[in-house]
Amino acid sequence: MKLLIVSTSTVHGKPYLSYLDKELPCFFTEGKNILFIPFARPGGITWDEYTEVATKKFSALGYTMRGIHTFASQKEAIDWANGVFTGGGNTFVLLKTIYDSGLFELLNEAVRNGLPYMGTSAGCNLTGISVCTTNDMPIVYPPSFKSFGWVPFNINPHYLDPDPSSKHMGETRETRIKEFHKFNKQMVIGLREGSWIYVDGEKIELKGELSARIFNASKEPFEIQSGDLTPLLKG
Amino acid sequence: MKLLIVSTSTVHGKPYLSYLDKELPCFFTEGKNILFIPFARPGGITWDEYTEVATKKFSALGYTMRGIHTFASQKEAIDWANGVFTGGGNTFVLLKTIYDSGLFELLNEAVRNGLPYMGTSAGCNLTGISVCTTNDMPIVYPPSFKSFGWVPFNINPHYLDPDPSSKHMGETRETRIKEFHKFNKQMVIGLREGSWIYVDGEKIELKGELSARIFNASKEPFEIQSGDLTPLLKG
C-alpha cells in the first residue's frame, strides 16, 4: 500500500496544501489522474464546491482531478484513477457517505492493491482501524465506526497539547485518548498540524518538522521524532 | 417534567458542583434519595469511584446518594429514587451503557412521569433530541445517537467562543454546529460553563451569570440572556 496520512490540509497562515508542494509530486507518481472524494463536506459545502477547491490546487501541480461523484459509477472512477485524495471535513459525514454509497469495499480493495491514497484530517482518520479518535462532532450516525485499517493504529489528527493557562473544563486531547484506551487497545498517533505519515509497502515514516505523540493502552504517552516508524510498530 | 440541564459540573478554580450549592437544594425537593448514574466514567474511572465523588458532594448537602449499579435491579433503583443525577464524562460511553443495560425506557418513563433529573455535561446532552452536538470523542459505538428528547432542542455543553488568536486549524464550535445544521433541523443551545437550564413543566429558564448562544438551521446565531426561554421556543 502507498499512503499519505496528513494531519491537516492547511497550516496557519499558508494557502491550502501549500506546505506539501514538494511532497505531493513525489507521492502521486503513477499517473496524472487523481480522484477526489469530497464526502466530508467541510462547513457543509457541496461535493461540487469542495471538488473545485481541491482541483484548483492539483491542477496547479499538473494533475487532472475529478470528483468521484462526476463518474457514471464508482467503479469507473476507481478504474480511471492513478491516485486518490480524500479531503477533510466531518469524519462522520465522510464515513457514513462511504458506507451508504457502497464505496467502502471498492476503495478498500483498490488501495490494498496499490492505488496511492492521500487523506487529510477526516480523510486521514479513515486509514486507521476506527474513527474513534476523530475530533469531529457526530452530526450524523454512520452504520459503523470501523474504518479501513490500512495501518495498524488509529490517528488523532490536529493533535493539540494541553494549554496550561486554559480555564476551560472540557477534556484535553490527552485525557480523551486515555479514555479511548479504557475501551480500545490499538496505538494512537497524535499527529500535529504540519506532520504527516508516509507509507510505502513495509516502509512507514513520520514526516514534517514536528514530533508526534504516541499513546498506548498500557504505557505513558511519549514523543517520537520524524523518521522511520517501523521499530515503534514492532516494539 | 423537572430537569436541571447543566453545562459543567465544575467551573474553573472551584470545587466540584460548588457553584450550584444554592440551586441543588431548591431542585431536589421531593425527598432525600438521589440516584446517581455513573456510566459516563470521566477519565475512565469505575462506576464505584465516580459514585464516591458525587456522593461526597450530595451527602454534604444532606442527601442520601446511591449508584444505580448498587441495586438488585434498575427498577428497584428508580423506585427508590426521589431524584436522579447523571454525571459527565464521555457521552458515547454513557449513552451506549444506558441502551445496553436496558435503562433507556425505564428512565425515560420515570422522568416523563415527574422524577427530577439533573445532568451535567454528558448527562445534560441526554436531555436533548440527540447527542449529535456533544464535544466528546466517539470512543465506543452506541446503537443510536438518539437521546431522551425531554426538551425540543439539542445542547452543546462547555460552549466555547472562537479564539481569534488561535493558530489551530481544527473547526471552531460555531463551525461544527453550523455543519450540524446541514443535516439536522433542531435548535442548538450553546451552554457556557457556569450556565444551566431549569425546566419545571411548562417553565423553562436559563440560569447562571452568562448568556447562551442559540443556533438555528436557518438563522444567524444569537445570544440570549438569563431568564425565561419560553418565547424562544415558541418563536
Side-chain angles (χ1 to χ4, degrees), chain A residues 31-63:
Chain A
K32 291 295 178 192
N33 292 350
I34 307 299
L35 183 67
F36 183 60
I37 300 177
F39 295 161
R41 300 182 57 187
I45 61 172
T46 65
W47 296 347
D48 278 342
E49 286 164 346
Y50 198 14
T51 302
E52 204 180 313
V53 172
T55 300
K56 198 173 159 193
K57 177 66 192 173
F58 274 78
S59 296
L61 292 170
Y63 293 100

PDB file of all heavy atoms in Angstrom, chain A residues 31-63:
ATOM      1  N   GLY A  31       0.729   8.381 -12.316  1.00  0.00           N
ATOM      2  CA  GLY A  31      -0.004   8.956 -13.444  1.00  0.00           C
ATOM      3  C   GLY A  31      -0.648  10.248 -12.982  1.00  0.00           C
ATOM      4  O   GLY A  31      -0.575  10.613 -11.811  1.00  0.00           O
ATOM      5  N   LYS A  32      -1.295  10.927 -13.897  1.00  0.00           N
ATOM      6  CA  LYS A  32      -1.780  12.274 -13.609  1.00  0.00           C
ATOM      7  C   LYS A  32      -3.226  12.317 -13.121  1.00  0.00           C
ATOM      8  O   LYS A  32      -3.715  13.370 -12.709  1.00  0.00           O
ATOM      9  CB  LYS A  32      -1.641  13.146 -14.871  1.00  0.00           C
ATOM     10  CG  LYS A  32      -0.182  13.444 -15.235  1.00  0.00           C
ATOM     11  CD  LYS A  32       0.498  14.293 -14.155  1.00  0.00           C
ATOM     12  CE  LYS A  32       1.954  14.589 -14.428  1.00  0.00           C
ATOM     13  NZ  LYS A  32       2.642  15.147 -13.255  1.00  0.00           N
ATOM     14  N   ASN A  33      -3.948  11.209 -13.202  1.00  0.00           N
ATOM     15  CA  ASN A  33      -5.380  11.221 -12.858  1.00  0.00           C
ATOM     16  C   ASN A  33      -5.601  11.016 -11.351  1.00  0.00           C
ATOM     17  O   ASN A  33      -5.414   9.912 -10.840  1.00  0.00           O
ATOM     18  CB  ASN A  33      -6.129  10.116 -13.605  1.00  0.00           C
ATOM     19  CG  ASN A  33      -6.176  10.375 -15.092  1.00  0.00           C
ATOM     20  OD1 ASN A  33      -5.821  11.464 -15.558  1.00  0.00           O
ATOM     21  ND2 ASN A  33      -6.603   9.383 -15.848  1.00  0.00           N
ATOM     22  N   ILE A  34      -6.019  12.079 -10.676  1.00  0.00           N
ATOM     23  CA  ILE A  34      -6.244  11.979  -9.232  1.00  0.00           C
ATOM     24  C   ILE A  34      -7.740  12.123  -8.946  1.00  0.00           C
ATOM     25  O   ILE A  34      -8.371  13.124  -9.306  1.00  0.00           O
ATOM     26  CB  ILE A  34      -5.449  13.047  -8.451  1.00  0.00           C
ATOM     27  CG1 ILE A  34      -3.966  13.017  -8.833  1.00  0.00           C
ATOM     28  CG2 ILE A  34      -5.628  12.848  -6.944  1.00  0.00           C
ATOM     29  CD1 ILE A  34      -3.243  11.721  -8.538  1.00  0.00           C
ATOM     30  N   LEU A  35      -8.269  11.111  -8.274  1.00  0.00           N
ATOM     31  CA  LEU A  35      -9.689  11.073  -7.928  1.00  0.00           C
ATOM     32  C   LEU A  35      -9.901  11.766  -6.582  1.00  0.00           C
ATOM     33  O   LEU A  35      -9.216  11.443  -5.600  1.00  0.00           O
ATOM     34  CB  LEU A  35     -10.128   9.608  -7.821  1.00  0.00           C
ATOM     35  CG  LEU A  35     -11.604   9.351  -7.544  1.00  0.00           C
ATOM     36  CD1 LEU A  35     -12.460   9.780  -8.732  1.00  0.00           C
ATOM     37  CD2 LEU A  35     -11.832   7.863  -7.251  1.00  0.00           C
ATOM     38  N   PHE A  36     -10.842  12.710  -6.541  1.00  0.00           N
ATOM     39  CA  PHE A  36     -11.109  13.413  -5.278  1.00  0.00           C
ATOM     40  C   PHE A  36     -12.389  12.879  -4.639  1.00  0.00           C
ATOM     41  O   PHE A  36     -13.417  12.726  -5.325  1.00  0.00           O
ATOM     42  CB  PHE A  36     -11.243  14.918  -5.534  1.00  0.00           C
ATOM     43  CG  PHE A  36     -11.438  15.719  -4.271  1.00  0.00           C
ATOM     44  CD1 PHE A  36     -10.478  15.694  -3.263  1.00  0.00           C
ATOM     45  CD2 PHE A  36     -12.591  16.491  -4.069  1.00  0.00           C
ATOM     46  CE1 PHE A  36     -10.651  16.425  -2.088  1.00  0.00           C
ATOM     47  CE2 PHE A  36     -12.767  17.223  -2.902  1.00  0.00           C
ATOM     48  CZ  PHE A  36     -11.793  17.194  -1.914  1.00  0.00           C
ATOM     49  N   ILE A  37     -12.323  12.603  -3.336  1.00  0.00           N
ATOM     50  CA  ILE A  37     -13.514  12.185  -2.588  1.00  0.00           C
ATOM     51  C   ILE A  37     -13.938  13.346  -1.691  1.00  0.00           C
ATOM     52  O   ILE A  37     -13.256  13.655  -0.708  1.00  0.00           O
ATOM     53  CB  ILE A  37     -13.226  10.904  -1.770  1.00  0.00           C
ATOM     54  CG1 ILE A  37     -12.811   9.781  -2.743  1.00  0.00           C
ATOM     55  CG2 ILE A  37     -14.443  10.495  -0.943  1.00  0.00           C
ATOM     56  CD1 ILE A  37     -12.434   8.479  -2.079  1.00  0.00           C
ATOM     57  N   PRO A  38     -15.049  14.022  -2.061  1.00  0.00           N
ATOM     58  CA  PRO A  38     -15.421  15.269  -1.388  1.00  0.00           C
ATOM     59  C   PRO A  38     -16.439  15.075  -0.266  1.00  0.00           C
ATOM     60  O   PRO A  38     -17.041  16.034   0.207  1.00  0.00           O
ATOM     61  CB  PRO A  38     -16.054  16.073  -2.541  1.00  0.00           C
ATOM     62  CG  PRO A  38     -16.745  15.025  -3.368  1.00  0.00           C
ATOM     63  CD  PRO A  38     -15.928  13.757  -3.228  1.00  0.00           C
ATOM     64  N   PHE A  39     -16.648  13.814   0.175  1.00  0.00           N
ATOM     65  CA  PHE A  39     -17.794  13.477   1.022  1.00  0.00           C
ATOM     66  C   PHE A  39     -17.758  14.104   2.423  1.00  0.00           C
ATOM     67  O   PHE A  39     -18.792  14.147   3.090  1.00  0.00           O
ATOM     68  CB  PHE A  39     -17.921  11.954   1.153  1.00  0.00           C
ATOM     69  CG  PHE A  39     -18.250  11.222  -0.119  1.00  0.00           C
ATOM     70  CD1 PHE A  39     -18.008   9.854  -0.235  1.00  0.00           C
ATOM     71  CD2 PHE A  39     -18.813  11.868  -1.212  1.00  0.00           C
ATOM     72  CE1 PHE A  39     -18.322   9.160  -1.394  1.00  0.00           C
ATOM     73  CE2 PHE A  39     -19.125  11.186  -2.390  1.00  0.00           C
ATOM     74  CZ  PHE A  39     -18.871   9.827  -2.474  1.00  0.00           C
ATOM     75  N   ALA A  40     -16.603  14.581   2.878  1.00  0.00           N
ATOM     76  CA  ALA A  40     -16.534  15.119   4.255  1.00  0.00           C
ATOM     77  C   ALA A  40     -17.125  16.525   4.379  1.00  0.00           C
ATOM     78  O   ALA A  40     -17.398  16.989   5.490  1.00  0.00           O
ATOM     79  CB  ALA A  40     -15.095  15.106   4.759  1.00  0.00           C
ATOM     80  N   ARG A  41     -17.329  17.189   3.259  1.00  0.00           N
ATOM     81  CA  ARG A  41     -18.048  18.470   3.185  1.00  0.00           C
ATOM     82  C   ARG A  41     -17.725  19.470   4.295  1.00  0.00           C
ATOM     83  O   ARG A  41     -18.610  19.812   5.097  1.00  0.00           O
ATOM     84  CB  ARG A  41     -19.563  18.191   3.162  1.00  0.00           C
ATOM     85  CG  ARG A  41     -20.030  17.349   1.994  1.00  0.00           C
ATOM     86  CD  ARG A  41     -21.532  17.164   2.000  1.00  0.00           C
ATOM     87  NE  ARG A  41     -22.216  18.464   1.996  1.00  0.00           N
ATOM     88  CZ  ARG A  41     -23.516  18.636   2.136  1.00  0.00           C
ATOM     89  NH1 ARG A  41     -24.303  17.570   2.314  1.00  0.00           N
ATOM     90  NH2 ARG A  41     -24.048  19.831   2.127  1.00  0.00           N
ATOM     91  N   PRO A  42     -16.502  19.996   4.374  1.00  0.00           N
ATOM     92  CA  PRO A  42     -16.169  20.970   5.428  1.00  0.00           C
ATOM     93  C   PRO A  42     -17.082  22.193   5.361  1.00  0.00           C
ATOM     94  O   PRO A  42     -17.333  22.705   4.265  1.00  0.00           O
ATOM     95  CB  PRO A  42     -14.720  21.359   5.107  1.00  0.00           C
ATOM     96  CG  PRO A  42     -14.556  21.049   3.652  1.00  0.00           C
ATOM     97  CD  PRO A  42     -15.429  19.847   3.394  1.00  0.00           C
ATOM     98  N   GLY A  43     -17.592  22.598   6.515  1.00  0.00           N
ATOM     99  CA  GLY A  43     -18.509  23.732   6.552  1.00  0.00           C
ATOM    100  C   GLY A  43     -19.812  23.443   5.818  1.00  0.00           C
ATOM    101  O   GLY A  43     -20.602  24.354   5.562  1.00  0.00           O
ATOM    102  N   GLY A  44     -20.044  22.165   5.471  1.00  0.00           N
ATOM    103  CA  GLY A  44     -21.291  21.789   4.809  1.00  0.00           C
ATOM    104  C   GLY A  44     -21.344  22.131   3.326  1.00  0.00           C
ATOM    105  O   GLY A  44     -22.399  22.054   2.709  1.00  0.00           O
ATOM    106  N   ILE A  45     -20.211  22.532   2.731  1.00  0.00           N
ATOM    107  CA  ILE A  45     -20.216  22.863   1.296  1.00  0.00           C
ATOM    108  C   ILE A  45     -20.569  21.625   0.465  1.00  0.00           C
ATOM    109  O   ILE A  45     -20.454  20.500   0.942  1.00  0.00           O
ATOM    110  CB  ILE A  45     -18.870  23.478   0.816  1.00  0.00           C
ATOM    111  CG1 ILE A  45     -17.697  22.482   1.026  1.00  0.00           C
ATOM    112  CG2 ILE A  45     -18.587  24.787   1.530  1.00  0.00           C
ATOM    113  CD1 ILE A  45     -16.385  22.963   0.402  1.00  0.00           C
ATOM    114  N   THR A  46     -20.964  21.846  -0.768  1.00  0.00           N
ATOM    115  CA  THR A  46     -21.402  20.732  -1.617  1.00  0.00           C
ATOM    116  C   THR A  46     -20.194  19.954  -2.160  1.00  0.00           C
ATOM    117  O   THR A  46     -19.061  20.436  -2.135  1.00  0.00           O
ATOM    118  CB  THR A  46     -22.213  21.245  -2.826  1.00  0.00           C
ATOM    119  OG1 THR A  46     -21.338  22.028  -3.658  1.00  0.00           O
ATOM    120  CG2 THR A  46     -23.399  22.095  -2.383  1.00  0.00           C
ATOM    121  N   TRP A  47     -20.474  18.785  -2.708  1.00  0.00           N
ATOM    122  CA  TRP A  47     -19.411  17.977  -3.336  1.00  0.00           C
ATOM    123  C   TRP A  47     -18.753  18.763  -4.474  1.00  0.00           C
ATOM    124  O   TRP A  47     -17.535  18.718  -4.629  1.00  0.00           O
ATOM    125  CB  TRP A  47     -20.008  16.669  -3.880  1.00  0.00           C
ATOM    126  CG  TRP A  47     -20.563  15.760  -2.832  1.00  0.00           C
ATOM    127  CD1 TRP A  47     -20.376  15.845  -1.473  1.00  0.00           C
ATOM    128  CD2 TRP A  47     -21.377  14.594  -3.041  1.00  0.00           C
ATOM    129  NE1 TRP A  47     -21.033  14.814  -0.834  1.00  0.00           N
ATOM    130  CE2 TRP A  47     -21.660  14.028  -1.771  1.00  0.00           C
ATOM    131  CE3 TRP A  47     -21.901  13.973  -4.168  1.00  0.00           C
ATOM    132  CZ2 TRP A  47     -22.437  12.873  -1.614  1.00  0.00           C
ATOM    133  CZ3 TRP A  47     -22.669  12.828  -4.013  1.00  0.00           C
ATOM    134  CH2 TRP A  47     -22.930  12.286  -2.742  1.00  0.00           C
ATOM    135  N   ASP A  48     -19.564  19.454  -5.272  1.00  0.00           N
ATOM    136  CA  ASP A  48     -19.004  20.230  -6.388  1.00  0.00           C
ATOM    137  C   ASP A  48     -18.096  21.350  -5.893  1.00  0.00           C
ATOM    138  O   ASP A  48     -16.995  21.549  -6.409  1.00  0.00           O
ATOM    139  CB  ASP A  48     -20.137  20.846  -7.232  1.00  0.00           C
ATOM    140  CG  ASP A  48     -20.721  19.844  -8.233  1.00  0.00           C
ATOM    141  OD1 ASP A  48     -20.050  18.823  -8.510  1.00  0.00           O
ATOM    142  OD2 ASP A  48     -21.844  20.080  -8.717  1.00  0.00           O
ATOM    143  N   GLU A  49     -18.594  22.088  -4.900  1.00  0.00           N
ATOM    144  CA  GLU A  49     -17.791  23.200  -4.367  1.00  0.00           C
ATOM    145  C   GLU A  49     -16.453  22.703  -3.815  1.00  0.00           C
ATOM    146  O   GLU A  49     -15.399  23.312  -4.028  1.00  0.00           O
ATOM    147  CB  GLU A  49     -18.573  23.917  -3.258  1.00  0.00           C
ATOM    148  CG  GLU A  49     -19.714  24.792  -3.761  1.00  0.00           C
ATOM    149  CD  GLU A  49     -20.710  25.194  -2.657  1.00  0.00           C
ATOM    150  OE1 GLU A  49     -20.682  24.589  -1.555  1.00  0.00           O
ATOM    151  OE2 GLU A  49     -21.528  26.096  -2.912  1.00  0.00           O
ATOM    152  N   TYR A  50     -16.522  21.590  -3.103  1.00  0.00           N
ATOM    153  CA  TYR A  50     -15.298  21.080  -2.474  1.00  0.00           C
ATOM    154  C   TYR A  50     -14.318  20.571  -3.542  1.00  0.00           C
ATOM    155  O   TYR A  50     -13.096  20.797  -3.463  1.00  0.00           O
ATOM    156  CB  TYR A  50     -15.669  19.977  -1.489  1.00  0.00           C
ATOM    157  CG  TYR A  50     -14.592  19.655  -0.468  1.00  0.00           C
ATOM    158  CD1 TYR A  50     -13.499  20.498  -0.258  1.00  0.00           C
ATOM    159  CD2 TYR A  50     -14.669  18.495   0.302  1.00  0.00           C
ATOM    160  CE1 TYR A  50     -12.533  20.206   0.681  1.00  0.00           C
ATOM    161  CE2 TYR A  50     -13.708  18.185   1.244  1.00  0.00           C
ATOM    162  CZ  TYR A  50     -12.636  19.038   1.423  1.00  0.00           C
ATOM    163  OH  TYR A  50     -11.671  18.745   2.369  1.00  0.00           O
ATOM    164  N   THR A  51     -14.874  19.902  -4.548  1.00  0.00           N
ATOM    165  CA  THR A  51     -14.023  19.374  -5.625  1.00  0.00           C
ATOM    166  C   THR A  51     -13.313  20.511  -6.351  1.00  0.00           C
ATOM    167  O   THR A  51     -12.148  20.390  -6.744  1.00  0.00           O
ATOM    168  CB  THR A  51     -14.882  18.547  -6.611  1.00  0.00           C
ATOM    169  OG1 THR A  51     -15.520  17.503  -5.876  1.00  0.00           O
ATOM    170  CG2 THR A  51     -14.026  17.929  -7.708  1.00  0.00           C
ATOM    171  N   GLU A  52     -14.000  21.647  -6.473  1.00  0.00           N
ATOM    172  CA  GLU A  52     -13.400  22.812  -7.138  1.00  0.00           C
ATOM    173  C   GLU A  52     -12.175  23.321  -6.361  1.00  0.00           C
ATOM    174  O   GLU A  52     -11.142  23.644  -6.955  1.00  0.00           O
ATOM    175  CB  GLU A  52     -14.462  23.920  -7.225  1.00  0.00           C
ATOM    176  CG  GLU A  52     -14.205  24.910  -8.328  1.00  0.00           C
ATOM    177  CD  GLU A  52     -15.296  25.976  -8.371  1.00  0.00           C
ATOM    178  OE1 GLU A  52     -16.504  25.621  -8.313  1.00  0.00           O
ATOM    179  OE2 GLU A  52     -14.934  27.167  -8.447  1.00  0.00           O
ATOM    180  N   VAL A  53     -12.298  23.355  -5.046  1.00  0.00           N
ATOM    181  CA  VAL A  53     -11.179  23.812  -4.197  1.00  0.00           C
ATOM    182  C   VAL A  53      -9.957  22.912  -4.398  1.00  0.00           C
ATOM    183  O   VAL A  53      -8.839  23.383  -4.629  1.00  0.00           O
ATOM    184  CB  VAL A  53     -11.599  23.781  -2.700  1.00  0.00           C
ATOM    185  CG1 VAL A  53     -10.400  24.049  -1.799  1.00  0.00           C
ATOM    186  CG2 VAL A  53     -12.718  24.786  -2.438  1.00  0.00           C
ATOM    187  N   ALA A  54     -10.179  21.609  -4.302  1.00  0.00           N
ATOM    188  CA  ALA A  54      -9.049  20.672  -4.409  1.00  0.00           C
ATOM    189  C   ALA A  54      -8.479  20.649  -5.827  1.00  0.00           C
ATOM    190  O   ALA A  54      -7.257  20.582  -6.014  1.00  0.00           O
ATOM    191  CB  ALA A  54      -9.502  19.273  -3.993  1.00  0.00           C
ATOM    192  N   THR A  55      -9.368  20.742  -6.804  1.00  0.00           N
ATOM    193  CA  THR A  55      -8.932  20.679  -8.206  1.00  0.00           C
ATOM    194  C   THR A  55      -8.025  21.861  -8.565  1.00  0.00           C
ATOM    195  O   THR A  55      -7.033  21.715  -9.286  1.00  0.00           O
ATOM    196  CB  THR A  55     -10.161  20.647  -9.140  1.00  0.00           C
ATOM    197  OG1 THR A  55     -10.928  19.483  -8.819  1.00  0.00           O
ATOM    198  CG2 THR A  55      -9.751  20.588 -10.593  1.00  0.00           C
ATOM    199  N   LYS A  56      -8.365  23.011  -8.015  1.00  0.00           N
ATOM    200  CA  LYS A  56      -7.542  24.207  -8.273  1.00  0.00           C
ATOM    201  C   LYS A  56      -6.089  23.941  -7.860  1.00  0.00           C
ATOM    202  O   LYS A  56      -5.148  24.244  -8.595  1.00  0.00           O
ATOM    203  CB  LYS A  56      -8.127  25.379  -7.473  1.00  0.00           C
ATOM    204  CG  LYS A  56      -7.683  26.727  -7.938  1.00  0.00           C
ATOM    205  CD  LYS A  56      -8.415  27.843  -7.222  1.00  0.00           C
ATOM    206  CE  LYS A  56      -7.602  29.132  -7.319  1.00  0.00           C
ATOM    207  NZ  LYS A  56      -8.077  30.161  -6.402  1.00  0.00           N
ATOM    208  N   LYS A  57      -5.933  23.344  -6.702  1.00  0.00           N
ATOM    209  CA  LYS A  57      -4.582  23.062  -6.188  1.00  0.00           C
ATOM    210  C   LYS A  57      -3.887  21.976  -7.017  1.00  0.00           C
ATOM    211  O   LYS A  57      -2.729  22.136  -7.419  1.00  0.00           O
ATOM    212  CB  LYS A  57      -4.688  22.624  -4.726  1.00  0.00           C
ATOM    213  CG  LYS A  57      -3.380  22.231  -4.099  1.00  0.00           C
ATOM    214  CD  LYS A  57      -2.440  23.417  -3.991  1.00  0.00           C
ATOM    215  CE  LYS A  57      -1.035  22.984  -3.635  1.00  0.00           C
ATOM    216  NZ  LYS A  57      -0.106  24.118  -3.695  1.00  0.00           N
ATOM    217  N   PHE A  58      -4.589  20.898  -7.276  1.00  0.00           N
ATOM    218  CA  PHE A  58      -3.961  19.787  -8.008  1.00  0.00           C
ATOM    219  C   PHE A  58      -3.671  20.139  -9.477  1.00  0.00           C
ATOM    220  O   PHE A  58      -2.681  19.666 -10.035  1.00  0.00           O
ATOM    221  CB  PHE A  58      -4.807  18.510  -7.877  1.00  0.00           C
ATOM    222  CG  PHE A  58      -4.484  17.737  -6.627  1.00  0.00           C
ATOM    223  CD1 PHE A  58      -4.990  18.148  -5.391  1.00  0.00           C
ATOM    224  CD2 PHE A  58      -3.643  16.635  -6.657  1.00  0.00           C
ATOM    225  CE1 PHE A  58      -4.675  17.456  -4.227  1.00  0.00           C
ATOM    226  CE2 PHE A  58      -3.319  15.939  -5.501  1.00  0.00           C
ATOM    227  CZ  PHE A  58      -3.845  16.344  -4.281  1.00  0.00           C
ATOM    228  N   SER A  59      -4.521  20.972 -10.061  1.00  0.00           N
ATOM    229  CA  SER A  59      -4.253  21.430 -11.425  1.00  0.00           C
ATOM    230  C   SER A  59      -2.954  22.220 -11.474  1.00  0.00           C
ATOM    231  O   SER A  59      -2.139  22.045 -12.391  1.00  0.00           O
ATOM    232  CB  SER A  59      -5.393  22.326 -11.921  1.00  0.00           C
ATOM    233  OG  SER A  59      -6.582  21.592 -11.993  1.00  0.00           O
ATOM    234  N   ALA A  60      -2.770  23.070 -10.473  1.00  0.00           N
ATOM    235  CA  ALA A  60      -1.558  23.894 -10.429  1.00  0.00           C
ATOM    236  C   ALA A  60      -0.303  23.023 -10.326  1.00  0.00           C
ATOM    237  O   ALA A  60       0.786  23.423 -10.742  1.00  0.00           O
ATOM    238  CB  ALA A  60      -1.633  24.868  -9.258  1.00  0.00           C
ATOM    239  N   LEU A  61      -0.470  21.831  -9.764  1.00  0.00           N
ATOM    240  CA  LEU A  61       0.662  20.911  -9.652  1.00  0.00           C
ATOM    241  C   LEU A  61       0.768  19.988 -10.876  1.00  0.00           C
ATOM    242  O   LEU A  61       1.603  19.088 -10.906  1.00  0.00           O
ATOM    243  CB  LEU A  61       0.534  20.065  -8.378  1.00  0.00           C
ATOM    244  CG  LEU A  61       0.678  20.810  -7.037  1.00  0.00           C
ATOM    245  CD1 LEU A  61       0.287  19.896  -5.876  1.00  0.00           C
ATOM    246  CD2 LEU A  61       2.106  21.325  -6.851  1.00  0.00           C
ATOM    247  N   GLY A  62      -0.120  20.222 -11.856  1.00  0.00           N
ATOM    248  CA  GLY A  62      -0.009  19.467 -13.112  1.00  0.00           C
ATOM    249  C   GLY A  62      -0.847  18.195 -13.185  1.00  0.00           C
ATOM    250  O   GLY A  62      -0.676  17.389 -14.106  1.00  0.00           O
ATOM    251  N   TYR A  63      -1.751  18.011 -12.233  1.00  0.00           N
ATOM    252  CA  TYR A  63      -2.592  16.809 -12.248  1.00  0.00           C
ATOM    253  C   TYR A  63      -3.962  17.086 -12.870  1.00  0.00           C
ATOM    254  O   TYR A  63      -4.406  18.235 -12.931  1.00  0.00           O
ATOM    255  CB  TYR A  63      -2.798  16.282 -10.818  1.00  0.00           C
ATOM    256  CG  TYR A  63      -1.533  15.751 -10.196  1.00  0.00           C
ATOM    257  CD1 TYR A  63      -0.797  16.532  -9.293  1.00  0.00           C
ATOM    258  CD2 TYR A  63      -1.061  14.481 -10.522  1.00  0.00           C
ATOM    259  CE1 TYR A  63       0.374  16.054  -8.724  1.00  0.00           C
ATOM    260  CE2 TYR A  63       0.112  14.000  -9.959  1.00  0.00           C
ATOM    261  CZ  TYR A  63       0.827  14.778  -9.062  1.00  0.00           C
ATOM    262  OH  TYR A  63       1.977  14.305  -8.511  1.00  0.00           O
TER     263      TYR A  63
END
